[in-house]
Amino acid sequence: SISSAPSRLQEDVADTLRAMGLAVREEARDPLSGYSIDILLPAPAPEALGDTDRPSAPGVAIEVDGPVHFLSDSRALKGRTLIKRRHLLALG
């Protein structure tokens, strides 16, 4: 998220994921881009899956784009949200 404090929507999403039994990290820092990721669902360690030859995966990043991420009265993303999304997609 662009703001430093999580939105109520983001907190609701994180709470729902936790209620589903998932490990949740909020406002995790992406080591490649430096972006703050709203919610990160860490991938299980390869050893936990019985695979010691595979490098660990970063997990699943979830960006919660509420109303402040969009141009007013529009479905178009604001520029800084759009560029963040493009950067993160390009990084995988």
Side-chain angles (χ1 to χ4, degrees):
S1 148
I2 292 170
S3 64
S4 59
S7 68
R8 182 70 224 153
L9 174 61
Q10 179 180 326
E11 290 173 357
D12 288 347
V13 172
D15 289 346
T16 299
L17 293 168
R18 283 187 190 98
M20 294 169 63
L22 298 171
V24 172
R25 284 185 49 211
E26 291 186 74
E27 299 303 325
R29 183 74 51 195
D30 177 62
L32 294 176
S33 67
Y35 284 120
S36 176
I37 304 298
D38 290 342
I39 298 170
L40 177 67
L41 305 178
E47 311 80 58
L49 301 174
D51 186 356
T52 56
D53 297 327
R54 184 174 61 103
S56 61
V60 175
I62 299 173
E63 285 295 301
V64 181
D65 293 337
V68 299
H69 293 272
F70 295 87
L71 298 173
S72 56
D73 298 326
S74 172
R75 289 187 173 183
L77 288 170
K78 289 183 177 177
R80 60 193 304 181
T81 300
L82 187 59
I83 201 83
K84 178 181 180 181
R85 185 181 282 185
R86 287 181 182 169
H87 283 161
L88 291 173
L89 283 171
L91 291 171

